[in-house]
Amino acid sequence: MRAVVIHAPHDLRVDSVEVPALGDHDVRVRMEAGGICGSDLHYYHDGGFGTVRIKQPMILGHEVAGTVEAIGAGVSRVAVGQRIAVNPSLACGHCRFCQAGQQAYCLDMRFIGSAMRFPHVQGGFRETMVVEEARAVPVADGVSAGEAAFGEPLSVCLHAIRRAGSLLGKRVLITGCGPIGSLCIIVARRAGALEIVATDVSDAACAMAMKVGANRAVNTATAPDAMAGYAADKGTFDVLIEASGNQRALTGAFDWLRPGAVIVQLGIGGDFTLPISVVVAKEFEIRGSFRFHEEFEQAVSMIGQRLIDVSPLLTATLPIDRAVEAFELASDRSRAMKVQLAF
């Protein structure tokens, strides 16, 4: 079968790879759609992120969905012909964190399309994939593969909003309006936020923020003073969802947050330097948000029930043989929000 394999920075190839054998508790999936994520782009442009580096050729992709074409003898959760979303995250279930219900911190996590382990865990950008039954999450009738492939990024956002606590009646600031920030706007609105203001440095991203439910979107690059009014009386916002991974976006928002505000740091951008005196004086609560667990099935269910519409975020779908073109398009924030591959 064909698969999209990263060999080195900007060395992305469509290679021929073997289809793994089907075990008794495995599901063989004919892949249909796969979304290109920010981490995929880091592998493509930089060979990794932080200390995580490609050490061997790796199939990319973890936002994937398709149709079951075969099941092992012990599989009961799904049937042949059923459309599924693939949960990229598989915790061991045995370590102390899994036993405590904190599976996102699993000591033996197997996350597809990730170079964190060696040998790397191969990803889902391939024509056929064999996955453990636990990864196969049924998709409701009428949901397209492209919509189902949003299950993973939506899961990330559901977890982040959960980390923020109740948003009912709250004023929420979201910095960074890429796919994750935009999905956070949708989820925050669904969670009862009274007001949502979004910031970004791209007009296209700000336009998307307004399209998916923000009350206001501000390009802080072209209108650096437009947010100044939110600093009155020690700040306005109850909650900040920082989705850009940019230190300036985080610390630049401190004046706009009221004392006691909750900050959820969702974006990852390396080490930050923080004005601790402000954090102390305004008694901010800074909470990290990392991956998800039960939120994946919740995300797929919400998409299936049409409680959340992810379709506005899908910019383009390109076939597997145009993978390099797709990655280049996904890298251009002025032209693309979410780009998917079709298999």
Side-chain angles (χ1 to χ4, degrees):
M1 63 172 172
R2 293 179 299 170
V4 178
V5 181
I6 188 72
H7 290 258
H10 292 114
D11 186 3
L12 186 71
R13 310 177 195 173
V14 178
D15 290 342
S16 178
V17 301
E18 292 185 2
V19 178
L22 183 70
D24 285 345
H25 298 282
D26 292 337
V27 175
R28 190 168 73 229
V29 186
R30 184 179 72 252
M31 285 302 180
E32 295 176 9
I36 299 172
C37 175
S39 61
D40 295 318
L41 294 176
H42 278 298
Y43 287 126
Y44 175 63
H45 291 291
D46 307 315
F49 48 91
T51 59
V52 178
R53 296 287 138 185
I54 298 169
K55 298 178 182 177
Q56 63 182 155
M58 183 178 76
I59 303 173
L60 292 175
H62 57 266
E63 302 177 6
V64 290
T67 297
V68 176
E69 62 179 16
I71 59 175
V75 171
S76 60
R77 188 181 195 189
V78 296
V80 173
Q82 189 169 16
R83 178 164 282 161
I84 65 162
V86 176
N87 187 341
S89 178
L90 185 64
C92 73
H94 305 295
C95 72
R96 63 190 180 100
F97 293 111
C98 287
Q99 291 296 305
Q102 298 175 304
Q103 292 89 342
Y105 313 144
C106 176
L107 297 175
D108 193 25
M109 175 67 73
R110 296 191 64 82
F111 195 91
I112 67 171
S114 171
M116 287 185 177
R117 299 171 63 115
F118 186 85
H120 303 331
V121 183
Q122 299 296 314
F125 286 172
R126 55 175 103 183
E127 292 176 310
T128 303
M129 187 176 189
V130 173
V131 301
E132 299 88 340
E133 179 181 14
R135 293 190 190 268
V137 179
V139 173
D141 292 341
V143 174
S144 69
E147 291 173 309
F150 275 91
E152 194 275 344
L154 180 56
S155 305
V156 170
C157 299
L158 289 173
H159 185 69
I161 297 303
R162 176 172 286 175
R163 292 284 293 144
S166 174
L167 295 188
L168 187 63
K170 300 290 181 65
R171 304 183 77 177
V172 179
L173 173 64
I174 296 178
T175 52
C177 303
I180 293 297
S182 296
L183 285 170
C184 281
I185 292 171
I186 297 172
V187 176
R189 182 62 72 202
R190 188 80 198 174
L194 178 67
E195 180 183 10
I196 302 172
V197 176
T199 65
D200 202 285
V201 295
S202 160
D203 285 338
C206 288
M208 179 58 69
M210 294 298 295
K211 185 174 183 178
V212 297
N215 296 91
R216 186 184 182 195
V218 175
N219 185 329
T220 52
T222 58
D225 300 324
M227 295 290 291
Y230 294 109
D233 299 326
K234 294 190 176 182
T236 298
F237 297 102
D238 304 293
V239 175
L240 166 64
I241 308 293
E242 205 303 289
S244 72
N246 185 292
Q247 177 182 312
R248 292 179 63 186
L250 173 62
T251 58
F254 281 5
D255 285 346
W256 313 326
L257 304 180
R258 65 159 180 81
V262 172
I263 298 170
V264 177
Q265 184 59 47
L266 179 55
I268 300 175
D271 295 333
F272 288 7
T273 300
L274 301 181
I276 292 300
S277 59
V278 179
V279 174
V280 171
K282 297 186 79 169
E283 294 190 332
F284 292 150
E285 294 184 40
I286 302 178
R287 305 173 184 176
S289 182
F290 183 64
R291 287 185 181 165
F292 51 84
H293 183 61
E294 66 271 22
E295 292 91 353
F296 187 85
E297 295 202 21
Q298 293 167 3
V300 175
S301 178
M302 293 179 82
I303 293 171
Q305 294 181 63
R306 302 305 184 187
L307 298 175
I308 287 181
D309 182 10
V310 298
S311 59
L313 277 66
L314 182 57
T315 302
T317 302
L318 279 70
I320 184 174
D321 55 4
R322 294 169 61 187
V324 172
E325 181 184 348
F327 270 70
E328 289 294 332
L329 176 60
S331 302
D332 187 347
R333 295 192 70 212
S334 68
R335 295 192 297 142
M337 178 62 61
K338 174 63 69 176
V339 177
Q340 291 183 348
L341 291 170
F343 302 96

